[in-house]
Amino acid sequence: MKAAIYPGHGKPITIEDIADPQPGADDVIIKVARCGICGTDTSFTKGAMFDFGENVQFGHEYAGEIVELGNSVTGFALGDRIAVLPSIACGECSSCRSHGNNVLCLNSPGSGMVGFAEYASVPTSVATRLPSVLSMADGALIEPMAISLYGTKLAQIQPGDRVLVLGGGSVALYAIYWARRLGAGRIVAMSRSARRKELSLAMGADVFIPFGDNEVGEVVEALGGPPQHVLECVGAEGMMMKSIMHVGQFGKIVSLGFCTSPDPLIPGMASYKCASIQFAVGYSMKEFHYIADQMDKGHVDPKAIITNDIPLVDLPTMMDVLRGPNEETKVHVCM
């Protein structure tokens, strides 16, 4: 089969012919239909401190159709369409038992980040069957939606609360989506890119405000008070301090941006607000199952963020495009 391979050390991605995957006893083989390109795919393949490694497959936002079953598989059938939680957990360690967040597993038996390929072997423990009303495009969006749902739940938004979402990428857009679903009162979306305004409003924001010198006052005016929750979804240096600058007294900041560089902040400013900061990564199967069940019942079609579908052969070129100024939001690779 054909698959995308990252050689490591920031070298260009290649599309190579590799052996077809073989199922373990509790695995299914899927024909991958779609895999979304995530910001971590671009940042973890440029040779920086956080890196996928050498000669690895990657791709973690994917869905496909089952074409082969392992000997011990029950509950799934040939032709079933599934979305994949790409972090495989042992289910037995203290983290798995306490938190159920696969990404935090202390003894992970392997990686499920193999979505940029024609076929993939998937343990049934991380497979979520797609309802008939959902498409493969829907299925490939469950992973980024799960990131935002997990983080937004940690914010503990109460009905009527004031929420500020920093960023305009897929995590930010879906954070807006879930904040609206969880009962937020007024939501402000803030980004440096004005082109994300319409999508932000479509996902549920009441107002879009670009970064600027007067942004704090503009946010307070738009929300009717300082935000009780700030969802930081940019992951760039300066965003944590910006979050502290905006959050109201006894407010909560949830960091979903996954910044991989030092990001200085002034604890004294946060202290004077008695603000709390929650860092988050990952998700559990609860989020995947909930989204698969509820995805078609929201206030907007989550597929609205998809701006481009490309073939696997075009992935290396698109990765270069996404590292620079571009007009894309979510790009799907179609196999």
Side-chain angles (χ1 to χ4, degrees):
M1 69 172 183
K2 293 192 179 299
I5 302 295
Y6 171 54
H9 308 290
K11 295 178 181 178
I13 293 155
T14 60
I15 306 300
E16 301 182 12
D17 291 309
I18 66 173
D20 290 345
Q22 301 300 313
D26 296 311
D27 300 340
V28 297
I29 301 296
I30 64 169
K31 186 179 188 306
V32 179
R34 285 175 174 253
C35 184
I37 303 176
C38 175
T40 55
D41 294 324
T42 57
S43 65
F44 282 33
T45 54
K46 62 183 182 182
M49 179 175 65
F50 283 76
D51 194 82
F52 283 142
E54 296 183 354
N55 299 315
V56 297
Q57 284 187 250
F58 66 109
H60 57 272
E61 302 178 2
Y62 62 108
E65 179 181 332
I66 296 176
V67 294
E68 188 175 350
L69 303 170
N71 293 334
S72 300
V73 170
T74 59
F76 290 90
L78 296 177
D80 282 352
R81 300 169 312 123
I82 65 168
V84 181
L85 192 160
S87 297
I88 302 171
C90 71
E92 300 296 333
C93 69
S94 58
S95 182
C96 285
R97 292 196 303 270
S98 300
H99 307 294
N101 182 334
N102 283 28
V103 177
L104 302 180
C105 175
L106 302 175
N107 302 303
S108 175
S111 171
M113 295 195 295
V114 293
F116 291 128
E118 292 179 306
Y119 295 92
S121 180
V122 178
T124 54
S125 62
V126 294
T128 297
R129 186 182 291 103
L130 297 178
S132 60
V133 294
L134 298 186
S135 66
M136 288 293 194
D138 293 315
L141 290 173
I142 289 179
E143 195 274 347
M145 292 188 77
I147 291 173
S148 299
L149 174 58
Y150 185 81
T152 306
K153 285 165 58 180
L154 289 174
Q156 298 179 320
I157 295 170
Q158 299 299 310
D161 281 355
R162 301 181 299 270
V163 177
L164 170 64
V165 178
L166 299 180
S170 58
V171 172
L173 292 168
Y174 286 146
I176 295 168
Y177 176 94
W178 292 117
R180 177 59 65 210
R181 289 282 296 270
L182 293 172
R186 289 186 64 78
I187 303 171
V188 166
M190 179 176 286
S191 173
R192 66 171 60 92
S193 175
R195 69 185 179 85
R196 300 296 172 89
K197 176 179 179 179
E198 295 307 317
L199 268 177
S200 297
L201 297 177
M203 288 294 142
D206 296 286
V207 180
F208 179 91
I209 296 174
F211 294 163
D213 294 339
N214 302 315
E215 63 183 58
V216 172
E218 292 176 17
V219 168
V220 170
E221 181 178 359
L223 289 176
Q228 294 153 299
H229 308 272
V230 178
L231 305 177
E232 186 281 302
C233 304
V234 181
E237 185 176 339
M239 288 301 108
M240 291 308 300
M241 193 60 222
K242 186 182 288 289
S243 300
I244 291 170
M245 182 175 66
H246 278 285
V247 73
Q249 291 182 347
F250 293 93
K252 186 166 188 177
I253 298 164
V254 177
S255 175
L256 287 168
F258 200 76
C259 183
T260 56
S261 301
D263 189 8
L265 54 82
I266 302 174
M269 289 189 65
S271 298
Y272 266 113
K273 293 186 174 183
C274 292
S276 60
I277 301 175
Q278 170 81 60
F279 291 91
V281 67
Y283 29 57
S284 71
M285 285 303 294
K286 290 181 181 179
E287 281 75 45
F288 270 67
H289 291 158
Y290 177 79
I291 294 168
D293 182 60
Q294 296 290 318
M295 196 171 185
D296 66 322
K297 302 177 178 66
H299 55 280
V300 65
D301 185 353
K303 293 192 296 297
I305 77 166
I306 299 174
T307 51
N308 207 342
D309 295 334
I310 64 169
L312 180 62
V313 68
D314 289 348
L315 174 63
T317 300
M318 179 56 72
M319 293 282 281
D320 290 336
V321 170
L322 294 176
R323 289 193 181 99
N326 63 86
E327 297 299 316
E328 305 291 356
T329 301
K330 175 59 67 179
V331 177
H332 272 182
V333 176
C334 302
M335 263 54 78

